[in-house]
Every structure is written in structure tokens, then in C-alpha cells.
């Protein structure tokens, strides 16, 4: 995976305007409509350019990318042994097209969230578990897609992270006060690991949502409905105006 800053040809300390200019310049150069003799390659390059801009133009996603950039670029190869490697699922390099094929967008991410779910389920007592919404396929109803993103954008792992090496060996505590202090620091350590994992999953969900064709289609549908509403409203006001004019002319 190539660094998003390199994709847009900008520095890592670039301002939002500089990022926007870098995107506009490359988007115009690689737009498929302007590269009909090389449409397939242009489409792939253009897709990566859009992906980079979608990330770096969003303050929340950019902050996460900047914080974890090296790990993302390495595909999460240095992730904690018991964690699911969600960093390896950033960018379009982890799937092949927006299809339901085994290596396609929908199947790859559906399998990932099933894996996350199954790992969490191991830490919940039988009878206390509720299955979260599935990612689904290309033809999943949008209401189900909406429920998926609504749930996973607030994801909180059930894992306890007790497999991590503790900062302090409480067996070495000299007295109750020291014991409590050690336990407090150990808890902060595991809580921070859980927080980082939660943020990684939530950020990935946001990243996926931006390029999910099902969400893009719904967004376009809403745009068209709003456009129709505005046209109808404009017509209604014009009809009212003509009616008032007609009433005035009668007197």
C-alpha cells in the first residue's frame, strides 16, 4: 500500500487547501474520461487518488491515519499477537473489485467482521451474547447496511486483554497500598490497549463506509429525492403566485 500523502504528491504537514489542490490536479490528470486510450489503468489510479483524498480530507480519519501511518503501510505486520490485524484491511489493496467473489470487497470485509465477532464472543458468557449486524453482500437491503454501520461505528470489544504482559507483577507488591497502585497501573495499561483496538476498528468502519457502493447509491438516491422535492416546492410556490395574480386581476 502506498502512502496517501505520496499518492496526492503532498507533504505530510500540508494544509487542507494544499491537499485539495494536490487531489484536484491528479484527479483531472487521471480521470477515466480523459484517458480513454488507457481507461483501465486510469480507473485504478483514479480510484486510489480518490481513496487518499477521502481519508486526508476528513479530520477524524486523517488524525487516525497520521497516528498509525507506519503500521498501516506495513499492513499491520507488527500488530499484537492476539489482536485481529485490522490495519491490514485499509486501502483497496486488500480486495479485488466491488464484487461478492472470495477476494472481492463484500466477501473480504464480511469475513473480517465475522472473525472479529467470533473472537469477541469467546469472552462473553453463554446466553449473554447478541450477534451484531453482518456486513452483508452487494444486494443486502440498505436498512440492514445502515444497521451494520450504526452498530460498528460504536464498536467496543469484549476482549479483556489479559494476555498482555502486565506492567507490574503484583506478586512483588510490598503492602496493600503498593498492590492497589500496581493493579491500577496494570488496568490502565489493558484499558489503553482495548481503547486503541476499538479506535482501529471504528476508524476502519468509517474508511469502508466512504467507499461502500451501497452507501454511495443510497446517498445518490437521497440527492435525487431532495432535488425532486425542491423542484416540487418551487412549482408549488409558483402556482401560489399565479393564483394570487389571478385573484388580483379579478377585482
Amino acid at each position: 500500500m502506498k502512502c496517501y500523502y505520496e499518492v496526492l504528491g503532498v507533504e505530510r504537514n500540508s494544509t487542507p487547501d494544499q491537499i485539495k489542490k494536490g487531489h484536484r490536479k491528479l484527479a483531472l490528470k487521471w480521470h477515466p474520461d480523459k484517458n480513454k486510450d488507457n481507461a483501465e489503468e486510469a480507473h485504478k489510479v483514479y480510484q486510489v487518488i480518490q481513496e487518499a483524498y477521502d481519508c486526508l480530507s476528513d479530520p477524524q480519519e486523517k488524525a487516525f491515519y497520521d497516528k498509525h501511518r507506519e503500521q498501516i503501510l506495513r499492513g499491520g505486520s507488527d500488530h499484537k499477537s492476539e489482536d485481529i490485524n485490522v490495519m491490514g484491511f485499509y486501502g483497496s489493496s486488500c480486495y479485488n473489485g466491488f464484487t461478492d467473489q472470495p477476494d472481492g470487497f463484500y466477501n473480504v470485509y464480511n469475513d473480517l467482521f465475522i472473525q472479529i465477532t467470533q473472537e469477541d464472543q469467546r469472552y462473553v458468557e453463554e446466553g449473554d451474547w447478541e450477534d451484531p449486524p453482518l456486513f452483508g453482500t452487494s444486494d443486502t437491503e440498505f436498512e440492514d447496511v445502515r444497521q451494520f454501520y450504526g452498530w460498528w461505528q460504536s464498536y467496543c470489544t469484549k476482549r479483556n486483554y489479559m494476555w498482555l504482559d502486565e506492567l507490574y507483577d503484583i506478586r512483588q507488591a510490598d503492602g496493600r497500598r503498593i498492590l492497589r497502585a500496581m493493579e491500577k497501573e496494570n488496568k490502565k495499561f489493558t484499558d489503553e490497549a482495548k481503547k486503541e483496538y476499538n479506535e482501529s476498528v471504528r476508524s476502519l468502519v468509517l474508511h469502508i463506509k466512504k467507499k461502500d457502493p451501497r452507501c454511495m447509491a443510497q446517498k445518490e438516491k437521497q440527492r435525487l429525492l431532495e432535488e425532486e422535492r425542491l423542484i416540487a416546492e418551487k412549482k408549488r410556490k409558483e402556482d401560489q403566485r399565479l393564483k394570487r395574480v389571478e385573484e388580483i386581476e379579478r377585482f
Side-chain angles (χ1 to χ4, degrees), residues 197-214:
Y197 183 65
N198 288 337
E199 289 178 350
S200 297
V201 173
R202 292 171 190 169
S203 182
L204 177 62
V205 170
L206 178 63
H207 180 77
I208 297 168
K209 183 180 181 181
K210 285 186 173 182
K211 53 187 179 181
D212 190 331
R214 301 168 302 183

Side-chain angles (χ1 to χ4, degrees), residues 120-152:
D120 276 359
Q121 192 172 6
R122 292 170 49 201
Y123 295 87
V124 179
E125 292 290 335
E126 188 174 349
D128 294 335
W129 174 261
E130 288 187 22
D131 288 328
L134 293 174
F135 185 72
T137 64
S138 60
D139 57 1
T140 296
E141 294 291 334
F142 186 74
E143 177 58 26
D144 294 330
V145 175
R146 185 191 64 78
Q147 289 181 12
F148 169 84
Y149 284 112
W151 194 94
W152 284 92

Side-chain angles (χ1 to χ4, degrees), residues 73-112:
L73 293 179
R74 289 194 296 269
S77 58
D78 56 351
H79 73 287
K80 298 181 180 66
S81 59
E82 295 293 327
D83 273 344
I84 293 174
N85 180 18
V86 296
M87 295 297 184
F89 290 86
Y90 272 82
S92 54
S93 59
C94 69
Y95 60 87
N96 183 23
F98 293 95
T99 72
D100 293 308
Q101 295 299 314
D103 61 347
F105 176 83
Y106 299 103
N107 194 63
V108 166
Y109 285 120
N110 193 57
D111 284 352
L112 170 64

Side-chain angles (χ1 to χ4, degrees), residues 8-49:
L8 297 183
V10 297
E11 299 295 328
R12 290 178 60 187
N13 60 352
S14 296
T15 65
D17 281 344
Q18 289 171 328
I19 291 172
K20 187 174 183 179
K21 288 178 181 177
H23 165 257
R24 185 187 298 118
K25 178 181 177 181
L26 290 172
L28 288 172
K29 177 181 177 181
W30 286 100
H31 195 286
D33 289 347
K34 293 192 174 183
N35 294 270
K36 294 183 178 180
D37 293 337
N38 193 22
E40 186 174 346
E41 181 187 358
H43 177 73
K44 291 179 180 179
V45 175
Y46 184 78
Q47 209 170 31
V48 175
I49 291 169

